[in-house]
């Protein structure tokens, strides 16, 4: 019996769990009900369970055979501060909070895998099921790592999966290398001297400095980044002034920087600072510059990505696994795991969905039809990576 056939009977149960999670979303690091549900489910399956890791994180430990190898499979549990517009029965019961990124589905697919792995144990080694808090901007992965994830649960590689609206339901995309970008933030404040708008020579205009900065940073990607590398610098806010007849004394700007490589990231941080300093000097204004690193780029390692593609092909069929797709400039905190361990993060198609069914859209919903496909993929990946030694050979 194929893994998918073995997992399919779980569909009704998984869909019920997924809809329950969808109706009861919780924000980053507040996933108490979700973590309890996960822990209870694992315990009912007889799976060794550890709670409270990195806040609300939960680890399940499933062993097969006597092998010493170990891998980690990760699902995220948090929801978003978005008010759901769906009106179906399982819509969010919490105003201003919804599972608009499908983490309800990710959690459920890993629970499905837990059940099948615990029942089949057709692998040789240890599987750590990682249910992490706070993927949405708060870095729950980093919190789990700081709390000793890899020391307490030593694993040789770690794997993630995210649903992808717009991709055919149950198909896969596996990137060998960059899959998601880094996401950093910068804040720039120019402080000048306010003056009468009719007598600009008596002040120092921070607004003009801000305008010069917005223009000048466009040269970073176009002139300093290798054209073969991808990068984005976007200024997303510019606040200055209040009146028709007064030059303000401050201009505040902020924005985001995205890229796929550590070198480009370092260069852009340094370049932004240089541009801001140069603009401040040439306009005779003071500069406050802040740069905050967010999620690193998510860089899949090639051998692990190849194993993911193999497992995905076994479940979905060769024609439904894309291995040469373009990465996304979005960001993902799975990147933190990949700073410590080899591994890969794949996309599973959520289907086209109804209009506006994109991630972080108030009409988004995870597609229950892919629950068993995702759970089967996890099981197949475990079988691929922790294949039992063949017996009877001599
Ligand atoms: Zn998201
Ligand atoms: Zn997400």
């Amino acid at each position: 019996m194929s893994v998918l056939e073995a997992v399919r009977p779980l569909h009704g149960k998984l869909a019920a769990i997924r809809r329950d999670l969808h109706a009861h979303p919780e924000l980053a690091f507040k996933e108490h009900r979700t973590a309890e549900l996960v822990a209870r489910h694992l315990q009912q399956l007889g799976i060794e369970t550890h709670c409270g890791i990195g806040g609300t994180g939960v680890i399940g430990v499933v062993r097969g055979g006597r092998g010493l190898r170990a891998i980690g499979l990760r699902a995220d549990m948090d929801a978003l501060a978005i008010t759901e517009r769906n009106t179906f029965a399982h819509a969010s019961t919490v105003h201003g909070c919804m599972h608009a990124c499908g983490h309800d589905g990710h959690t459920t697919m890993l629970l499905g895998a837990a059940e099948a792995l615990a029942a089949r144990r057709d692998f040789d080694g240890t599987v750590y099921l990682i249910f992490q808090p706070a993927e949405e901007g708060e870095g729950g992965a980093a919190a789990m790592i700081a709390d000793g994830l890899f020391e307490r649960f030593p694993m040789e590689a770690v794997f993630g999966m995210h649903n992808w609206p717009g991709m055919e339901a149950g198909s896969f995309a596996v990137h060998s290398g960059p899959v998601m970008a880094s996401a950093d933030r910068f804040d720039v404040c120019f402080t000048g001297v306010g003056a009468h708008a009719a007598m600009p020579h008596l002040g120092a205009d921070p607004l003009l400095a801000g305008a010069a900065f917005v223009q000048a940073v466009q040269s970073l990607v176009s002139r300093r980044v290798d054209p073969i590398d991808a990068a984005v610098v976007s200024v997303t806010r510019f606040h200055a002034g209040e009146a028709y007849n007064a030059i303000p004394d401050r201009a505040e700007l902020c924005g985001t920087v995205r890229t796929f490589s550590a070198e480009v990231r370092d260069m852009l941080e340094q370049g932004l600072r240089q541009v801001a300093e140069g603009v401040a000097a040439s306009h005779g204004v003071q500069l406050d510059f802040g740069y905050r690193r967010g999620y690193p780029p998510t860089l899949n390692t090639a051998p692990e990505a190849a194993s993911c593609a193999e497992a995905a092909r076994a479940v979905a069929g060769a024609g439904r696994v894309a291995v040469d797709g373009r990465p996304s400039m979005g960001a993902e905190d799975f990147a933190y795991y990949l700073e410590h361990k080899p591994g890969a993060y794949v996309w599973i198609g959520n289907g086209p969905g109804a209009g506006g069914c994109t991630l972080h859209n108030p009409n988004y919903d995870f597609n229950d039809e892919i629950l068993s496909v995702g759970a089967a993929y996890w099981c197949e990946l475990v079988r691929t990576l922790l294949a039992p030694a063949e017996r009877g050979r001599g």
Side-chain angles (χ1 to χ4, degrees):
M1 182 166 43
S2 78
V3 177
L4 189 54
E5 284 163 0
V7 171
R8 270 227 171 91
L10 301 177
H11 176 81
K13 186 172 167 184
L14 294 181
I17 294 172
R18 207 285 297 177
R19 290 175 181 217
D20 178 65
L21 291 174
H22 191 91
H24 301 95
E26 295 171 302
L27 292 175
F29 290 122
K30 295 184 180 130
E31 309 90 338
H32 301 289
R33 181 186 184 277
T34 308
E36 258 179 58
L37 183 149
V38 166
R40 201 170 55 240
H41 193 86
L42 294 175
Q43 282 157 356
Q44 280 167 0
L45 295 168
I47 293 173
E48 181 187 322
T49 305
H50 302 261
C51 298
I53 296 153
T56 47
V58 180
I59 301 285
V61 186
V62 192
R63 293 193 176 84
R66 313 176 84 179
L68 298 175
R69 300 185 58 199
I71 59 168
L73 312 180
R74 172 274 212 168
D76 37 17
M77 301 189 289
D78 58 321
L80 285 151
I82 293 174
T83 300
E84 180 155 10
R85 280 210 209 107
N86 294 311
T87 52
F88 44 55
H90 63 279
S92 172
T93 57
V94 185
H95 184 75
C97 185
M98 97 175 261
H99 271 295
C101 206
H103 299 184
D104 48 346
H106 303 166
T107 298
T108 308
M109 290 190 290
L110 194 55
L111 286 175
E115 181 154 359
L117 288 168
R120 291 162 67 92
R121 303 203 189 249
D122 55 349
F123 57 95
D124 192 28
T126 302
V127 178
Y128 295 114
L129 308 163
I130 305 168
F131 295 88
Q132 81 152 71
E135 191 288 319
E136 297 288 358
E138 303 283 328
M144 289 191 89
I145 294 165
D147 203 8
L149 173 72
F150 292 132
E151 290 77 30
R152 293 172 65 185
F153 309 100
M155 58 191 83
E156 60 193 59
V158 59
F159 298 87
M161 169 161 52
H162 206 292
N163 77 96
W164 212 253
M167 260 170 61
E168 189 191 341
S171 67
F172 287 84
V174 183
H175 299 74
S176 185
V179 52
M180 306 290 282
S182 59
D184 297 344
R185 295 173 174 184
F186 61 88
D187 289 277
V188 171
C189 179
F190 294 113
T191 305
V193 178
H196 195 298
M199 298 166 223
H201 59 294
L202 300 179
D205 188 351
L207 193 152
L208 191 60
F213 173 79
V214 174
Q215 298 258 345
V217 293
Q218 302 311 317
S219 69
L220 292 173
V221 172
S222 66
R223 303 290 89 172
R224 301 267 293 269
V225 175
D226 182 330
I228 306 302
D229 289 325
V232 179
V233 176
S234 288
V235 178
T236 54
R237 191 171 69 210
F238 188 150
H239 288 169
E242 296 171 287
Y244 283 101
N245 56 359
I247 290 167
D249 62 356
R250 283 161 72 85
E252 293 172 352
L253 298 88
C254 75
T256 185
V257 176
R258 313 272 170 142
T259 186
F260 292 116
S261 86
E263 297 73 40
V264 176
R265 194 182 191 195
D266 289 346
M267 190 277 285
L268 287 173
E269 176 175 355
Q270 200 193 10
L272 271 164
R273 186 184 292 276
Q274 274 177 355
V275 167
E277 285 171 352
V279 165
S282 64
H283 287 261
V285 296
Q286 299 296 312
L287 168 69
D288 271 312
F289 181 85
Y291 192 97
R292 280 172 294 153
R293 293 208 163 198
Y295 294 170
T298 305
L299 308 172
N300 289 346
T301 48
E304 285 68 29
S307 298
C308 292
E310 188 183 332
R313 281 189 206 103
V315 172
R320 292 172 26 99
V321 180
V323 292
D324 50 2
R326 293 154 72 91
S328 161
M329 292 311 282
E332 162 64 53
D333 88 337
F334 189 78
Y336 288 117
Y337 301 116
L338 295 180
E339 287 193 322
H340 296 264
K341 301 283 174 186
Y345 167 93
V346 307
W347 296 343
I348 179 170
N350 198 52
C357 188
T358 58
L359 296 174
H360 296 206
N361 180 287
N363 285 114
Y364 169 87
D365 193 30
F366 185 87
N367 182 352
D368 285 334
E369 294 309 308
I370 67 172
L371 285 169
S372 34
V373 181
Y377 162 76
W378 281 136
C379 297
E380 192 64 43
L381 183 64
V382 168
R383 226 164 56 156
T384 304
L385 290 163
L386 302 178
E390 288 182 49
R391 294 198 186 86
R393 277 201 187 167

